[in-house]
Amino acid sequence: MPLAQMVIGDNRLFPYRSSSAMTAFFKRCGLDYSHDGSTRAYWTKDVLTELNNRAGDPPDLPSSAILKVIDEMFVPFEFDKHEKVLSNALTDLNKLIKREGFEAYFDESQHCRLRNTSTGRNSSRTITSSSAPLSPDRK
């Protein structure tokens, strides 16, 4: 459930997401999930479990859907809007995934990627960038 709490923002280091914001979040990931009005944390946990049960390609990384979710969790605009700090959130994610043999990092384009700490394989070529619109100008 800790990853679900990060996605919905019940973890204080991550931006809060309401029901409608969670639906929009998964749409931006290219995933067709709409929040059904149930408890946000349990609904999100069930969605993430389903996504995690998909096979990874390559097999030493999580599914491409989970990789997209993790990348989308770290959109800088969302953090700026909520006055959250990306590096603190990344540290918290790394505490969670370390025991699974993964490490999260930001690549040169500021996308959040995962690296398998045993094989060294990373997700930088596994997922493609979404066609999400650019963040609005800040004045």
Side-chain angles (χ1 to χ4, degrees):
M1 181 100 85
L3 185 60
Q5 291 171 327
M6 291 175 185
V7 169
I8 66 175
D10 279 358
N11 175 312
R12 64 178 176 74
L13 298 173
F14 289 81
Y16 177 84
R17 291 186 177 91
S18 65
S19 273
S20 60
M22 288 175 5
T23 297
F25 172 88
F26 283 109
K27 298 288 185 217
R28 287 192 310 272
C29 293
L31 303 167
D32 193 24
Y33 291 94
S34 295
H35 185 249
D36 61 7
S38 62
T39 305
R40 293 169 31 259
Y42 291 111
W43 179 84
T44 304
K45 178 187 156 282
D46 290 346
V47 169
L48 293 175
T49 298
E50 182 180 319
L51 299 177
N52 193 47
N53 287 334
R54 295 179 182 179
D57 184 27
D60 56 349
L61 290 174
S63 72
S64 61
I66 288 288
L67 295 173
K68 287 177 186 177
V69 166
I70 290 173
D71 185 32
E72 189 65 30
M73 284 171 42
F74 287 91
V75 172
F77 171 72
E78 289 293 322
F79 277 79
D80 292 345
K81 183 169 83 173
H82 295 280
E83 298 180 12
K84 304 288 182 179
V85 179
L86 279 166
S87 60
N88 294 346
L90 184 69
T91 298
D92 212 42
L93 176 63
N94 274 319
K95 287 177 188 174
L96 176 65
I97 64 175
K98 180 179 182 178
R99 68 176 178 228
E100 303 297 329
F102 297 107
E103 175 186 33
Y105 65 96
F106 294 117
D107 68 9
E108 62 280 347
S109 63
Q110 296 306 299
H111 283 273
C112 186
R113 305 298 189 200
L114 258 56
R115 176 183 301 115
N116 181 309
T117 56
S118 295
T119 66
R121 188 179 316 261
N122 66 61
S123 64
S124 64
R125 294 199 173 114
T126 304
I127 61 174
T128 58
S129 297
S130 68
S131 59
L134 297 174
S135 300
D137 287 338
R138 293 172 48 202
K139 299 194 186 313

